[in-house]
Amino acid sequence: MKVVLSHPTGNEFVRALIAALSRQGMLTEFDTTVAADPSSAWLKLLPGKVKQDLLRRSYPIPSEEIRSYPIRELGRMIMPRMGIKSAVKHETGWASVDAVYRNLDKKVAERLAHLSRNNKPDAIYAYEDGAVQSFKQAKQAGIKCIYDLPIGYWRAARELLGAERERWPDWAATLTGFKDSEAKLQRKDEEIRLADNIFVASSFTAKTLDYFPGQLPPVSVIPYAFPPVVKERYYADVTAARPLKLLFVGGLSQRKGIADVFTAVQSFGSKVELTVVGSKVVDNCAVLNEALTKHRYIPSLPHEGVLKLMHEHDVLLFPSLFEGFGLVITEAMAQGTPVITTDRTAGPDIITNEENGWLIGAGSTQKLQDAIEKLLVKPALIKSAGRAAMATAQKRPWPVYGQQLVDAIIHNS
């Protein structure tokens, strides 16, 4: 079986699939936006930050297996730094995320038309918001359409997060997912209608597809994997002199449950210490701006810095209300930092409650507060759950995810 894989940015789960397809001899080509060759002489001449950003777009496969279409993505990366923010305006900007996805989708459709005459693949594997044109072309050519939905289905988001706007009206401005145009939402539905198979990374994402108004193709759940597990982890005692160190990492939106975090820790006073890492999704949320002044706030950190911070904290709080997976969960667990998360993340797929972490019902500040209080009463639970989290992470590195996904692709072909 031969597969064309398409994704604009080639993140961790895409890289795992690229590697697995290549190992199996199944990769026709990987189509993306920016693909950097680490050995290129010109790359060495670039400033450190630019070079580092581009090196994230290098891939462990031969260059002849990669086709790149970089112009719009480079514009998205560079134009805001030049003060041209209109270029990346939501949906309408020439270099907006939506424009980057749609342009790559168009290029992949053109490639499929070419390949169907010369080296016809068996399937196209594409991701949400970047599949509709390539899927239409694939259907014409008799090529199977495999769809990956990294986050929950939009109709479910409208209902579940709509309830959050009523529960936390002062935080409603942070729920920015309601800005998508009707045309974009229709494209999302068309992608699902054209798909022959759908892959998701969590049982929660699979459940959100129940909101789809038409007939669904087969849906498979293949959870993402864990980064390398830290070799050593020390657990400090929680005492009156040393508070419980809590960490939140993510976009500062109520989609991530940030209002619940601030409210839950408020009652504990000096018994807990909260660090918040993440960028604001809006600047005009007064309650968010005020809450951040009361805690340690870090707007941005490089990935290695985030992992180090996870290693230094006792527990990660991730009470998300709508999450396709939540890679910060696996990152923290690999650092030996147990996680309190909800049933609307990948938590139920990788965490056994009270063994290697804690699961709470989404949308309940009280349940989050109760979970924190339990750890203050019995802090030894942190070490036992942290050690168990590391053991869980050891069993599922990224190559395991990639191989499971490839095996499922073959099985469903």
Side-chain angles (χ1 to χ4, degrees), residues 357-376:
W358 299 274
L359 299 173
I360 61 173
S364 173
T365 305
Q366 185 61 54
K367 288 178 181 177
L368 178 58
Q369 187 172 319
D370 291 346
I372 296 170
E373 186 170 12
K374 184 180 292 186
L375 299 181
L376 285 169

Side-chain angles (χ1 to χ4, degrees), residues 120-122 137-144:
K120 182 180 174 181
D122 299 292
Q137 180 60 46
K139 289 294 183 183
Q140 293 179 22
I143 298 170
K144 187 173 184 177

Side-chain angles (χ1 to χ4, degrees), residues 8-9 27 82 96 181 198 245 251 264 268 278 303 305 313 374 412:
T9 57
L27 184 64
M82 300 170 61
S96 65
S181 69
I198 297 177
K245 298 180 70 173
F268 296 114
H303 187 243
H313 281 72
K374 184 180 292 186
N412 290 320

Side-chain angles (χ1 to χ4, degrees), residues 259-290:
D260 294 285
V261 169
F262 287 131
T263 305
V265 303
Q266 186 175 345
S267 63
F268 296 114
S270 60
K271 294 179 182 178
V272 303
E273 180 182 282
L274 174 66
T275 300
V276 175
V277 180
S279 58
K280 298 178 184 179
V281 296
V282 293
D283 290 320
N284 62 344
C285 182
V287 287
L288 170 62
N289 295 335
E290 181 183 356

Side-chain angles (χ1 to χ4, degrees), residues 234-378:
Y234 169 74
Y235 295 90
D237 293 332
V238 175
T239 65
R242 197 270 189 189
L244 179 66
K245 298 180 70 173
L246 304 173
L247 177 65
F248 173 91
V249 178
L252 303 188
S253 163
Q254 183 48 21
R255 180 172 78 82
K256 305 281 188 179
I258 188 64
D260 294 285
V261 169
F262 287 131
T263 305
V265 303
Q266 186 175 345
S267 63
F268 296 114
S270 60
K271 294 179 182 178
V272 303
E273 180 182 282
L274 174 66
T275 300
V276 175
V277 180
S279 58
K280 298 178 184 179
V281 296
V282 293
D283 290 320
N284 62 344
C285 182
V287 287
L288 170 62
N289 295 335
E290 181 183 356
L292 289 173
T293 65
K294 301 175 182 177
H295 304 280
R296 182 188 181 195
Y297 173 47
I298 305 172
S300 178
L301 272 179
H303 187 243
E304 289 302 316
V306 172
L307 295 181
K308 183 175 183 293
L309 207 59
M310 287 175 170
H311 190 85
E312 294 168 351
H313 281 72
D314 297 314
V315 181
L316 178 77
L317 305 182
F318 194 66
S320 184
L321 279 298
F322 198 87
E323 202 71 36
F325 187 84
L327 286 170
V328 294
I329 299 173
T330 51
E331 289 170 345
M333 291 174 70
Q335 291 294 316
T337 303
V339 182
I340 301 173
T341 190
T342 72
D343 52 0
R344 294 190 200 162
T345 70
D349 298 291
I350 57 178
I351 290 176
T352 301
N353 188 40
E354 298 190 352
E355 287 188 18
N356 58 352
W358 299 274
L359 299 173
I360 61 173
S364 173
T365 305
Q366 185 61 54
K367 288 178 181 177
L368 178 58
Q369 187 172 319
D370 291 346
I372 296 170
E373 186 170 12
K374 184 180 292 186
L375 299 181
L376 285 169
V377 172
K378 195 173 181 181

